[in-house]
Amino acid sequence: MKYYAIIVAGGSGNRMQTETPKQFLLLKNLPVLMHTIKAFAQSDTQPKILLVLNKDQQGYWNRLCEEFNFRIPHEVIDGGKERFHSVKNAIHNIEEESLVAIHDAVRPLVSKSLIDNCFKAAEAQGNVIAAVQSSDSVRMLRNEKTSALKRDEIYLVQTPQTFNINTLKEAYNQDFASHFTDDASVVESIGYPINIIEGERGNIKITYPIDLELAELLLKN
């Protein structure tokens, strides 16, 4: 079985209150995106890495690779209008039977063991997503009224989200819809049940300035 990792790096720096896209911000003296790629490169599965990046950011990324002497092999794929289109572009570049892990570029603290466990579970079950059970009380707001949800039934979805390539190609053959929030929702929409594997509390997504500070602390420990 062949293994691929699609790392999606299409985000901007809007919520980070910075003009620099968050995947390029420095985390422990290295751009966030480089930490993410390193995690996959150092895993036992050793997937081929496809980096999906907006065309107008590719020149900057190349300069960063030179500046930081970053030599981990990866193929750069043009990003699309939505995450859906970016992933679809990457899938088109995979022609062999394989398992594909799709991961947010701004989750740089993903562990090697989680990456490998996702591939193993997907090989056995067809697909798997990393998720953690909610530790907080959860309420739903609908029509200006709130209602409590059962905390032990709520999972917070992370990446990697790992699938058989044939399932992905079938799912991404459909048209984009606004309710596609992640790859699992795309696959689920054509009738496939989604399996969950225990994620990691430290597998945080860099979205706000405080997330970068937290990632620095976690790396120190």
Side-chain angles (χ1 to χ4, degrees), residues 16 18 20-27 30-33 206 212:
M16 288 296 297
T18 173
T20 303
K22 52 196 174 186
Q23 61 267 21
F24 300 141
L25 294 174
L26 289 184
L27 172 61
L30 198 67
V32 165
L33 178 53
I206 307 296
L212 200 61

Side-chain angles (χ1 to χ4, degrees), residues 96-157:
E96 55 193 340
E97 184 69 28
S98 55
L99 289 172
V100 182
I102 305 171
H103 189 69
D104 298 324
V106 289
R107 288 189 187 271
L109 305 188
V110 61
S111 72
K112 295 180 288 184
S113 61
L114 181 58
I115 292 168
D116 290 326
N117 288 340
C118 283
F119 276 119
K120 289 176 186 175
E123 192 161 3
Q125 302 178 66
N127 71 66
V128 71
I129 66 172
V132 293
Q133 205 165 22
S134 175
S135 58
D136 297 321
S137 295
V138 183
R139 298 190 69 85
M140 179 172 65
L141 173 64
R142 179 179 290 170
N143 298 326
E144 298 184 358
K145 294 182 179 180
T146 71
S147 57
L149 301 178
K150 293 183 179 179
R151 181 170 58 188
D152 58 358
E153 294 180 355
I154 301 297
Y155 282 80
L156 309 179
V157 173

Side-chain angles (χ1 to χ4, degrees), residues 9 11-36 53 57 60-61 64 67-68 105-109 205-213 215-216 219:
S12 67
N14 294 343
R15 285 177 287 186
M16 288 296 297
Q17 303 167 10
T18 173
E19 292 182 0
T20 303
K22 52 196 174 186
Q23 61 267 21
F24 300 141
L25 294 174
L26 289 184
L27 172 61
K28 204 175 179 182
N29 301 316
L30 198 67
V32 165
L33 178 53
M34 292 183 184
H35 286 281
T36 307
L53 198 58
Q57 295 177 346
Y60 183 57
W61 171 245
L64 284 176
E67 179 182 346
F68 289 91
V106 289
R107 288 189 187 271
L109 305 188
K205 187 175 183 179
I206 307 296
T207 305
Y208 299 100
I210 195 170
D211 299 325
L212 200 61
E213 295 176 23
E216 288 274 4
L219 279 175

